[in-house]
Amino acid sequence: MPEQPQWSERTLDMPPQDPWADQPTAPGPVAPPGPDAAPFSRGRAQVNPQIQHTQRYAEHEPTGIGWPGAEAPPHRGMSWRWSELRRGSEWTTAAVLFAFVCWGVWSLSSGGGVLGTPMIVFAVTLAVAVGVFCLARVVGYYVLERSFGRQRRTARGSHLITALFLAGVGVADLQQTQWVMDAVHWVTGQIN
């Protein structure tokens, strides 16, 4: 029977892998390898106790909400940026078109060819609508942002209030037109 080659056993004395186990001790003096030493020899792995532990979590940065003694963030001013004012403008645009059509029906039915006074009425209506929009923005700023601390990113509420105003003006113009009111009374069955 052929003789089995003998392999020398090579092991390393490793620290325990259990995190709750005792920490390894500092290594003892290591003898320098002799001239006939194998590339791997029995010994202990070096442990460097000077490694600093890194912090796993970020430091707390107070935001001013709910932390006693922390100052509140400063109030930002009212925003009149175009990107914020454009959001919700479809409501105002549709209402301006509705008010314009209703104004046109009223002005053509009431005066014949003279459009001077009706044009002034429509210009004043648009100026008042701009004022309603600005007033809604200011009231929204003081109520929502200053009182409740909520940040607004759109002007949808102001556009909706302006649209309701313009729709009311358009309906009022139609109520002043005789043939439109006759048609409404005929449809509802309220002929006088």
Side-chain angles (χ1 to χ4, degrees):
M1 198 162 153
E3 190 173 318
Q4 295 284 338
Q6 295 244 336
W7 298 95
S8 64
E9 185 177 312
R10 296 181 184 147
T11 61
L12 293 174
D13 188 16
M14 297 290 295
Q17 298 298 318
D18 186 11
W20 290 279
D22 293 334
Q23 294 296 324
T25 59
V30 178
D36 59 333
F40 297 103
S41 63
R42 186 177 177 108
R44 289 180 141 313
Q46 257 191 331
V47 177
N48 189 356
Q50 298 170 351
I51 296 177
Q52 295 179 354
H53 295 285
T54 58
Q55 190 174 7
R56 298 177 82 183
Y57 304 104
E59 288 291 323
H60 170 69
E61 295 178 15
T63 59
I65 301 172
W67 293 96
E71 71 250 8
H75 289 288
R76 45 175 239 159
M78 189 174 356
S79 174
W80 292 98
R81 286 184 286 189
W82 184 251
S83 62
E84 287 183 13
L85 296 178
R86 257 191 16 220
R87 294 182 185 160
S89 63
E90 61 273 0
W91 293 98
T92 303
T93 303
V96 166
L97 289 174
F98 176 74
F100 178 74
V101 168
C102 295
W103 168 82
V105 168
W106 168 74
S107 64
L108 292 176
S109 298
S110 65
V114 181
L115 291 177
T117 303
M119 287 185 106
I120 292 173
V121 168
F122 188 67
V124 169
T125 300
L126 291 180
V128 171
V130 169
V132 166
F133 178 80
C134 293
L135 181 65
R137 287 291 290 172
V138 170
V139 168
Y141 170 72
Y142 280 108
V143 171
L144 294 175
E145 291 189 25
R146 295 291 299 259
S147 297
F148 295 126
R150 182 174 163 246
Q151 183 179 0
R152 295 182 303 166
R153 292 182 176 85
T154 65
R156 284 190 178 104
S158 301
H159 281 294
L160 185 61
I161 291 171
T162 306
L164 290 174
F165 168 74
L166 288 170
V169 168
V171 169
D173 285 342
L174 288 179
Q175 287 177 344
Q176 294 177 4
T177 307
Q178 183 63 36
W179 66 269
V180 171
M181 292 310 294
D182 289 342
V184 168
H185 292 304
W186 180 77
V187 169
T188 59
Q190 299 176 357
I191 298 178
N192 292 335

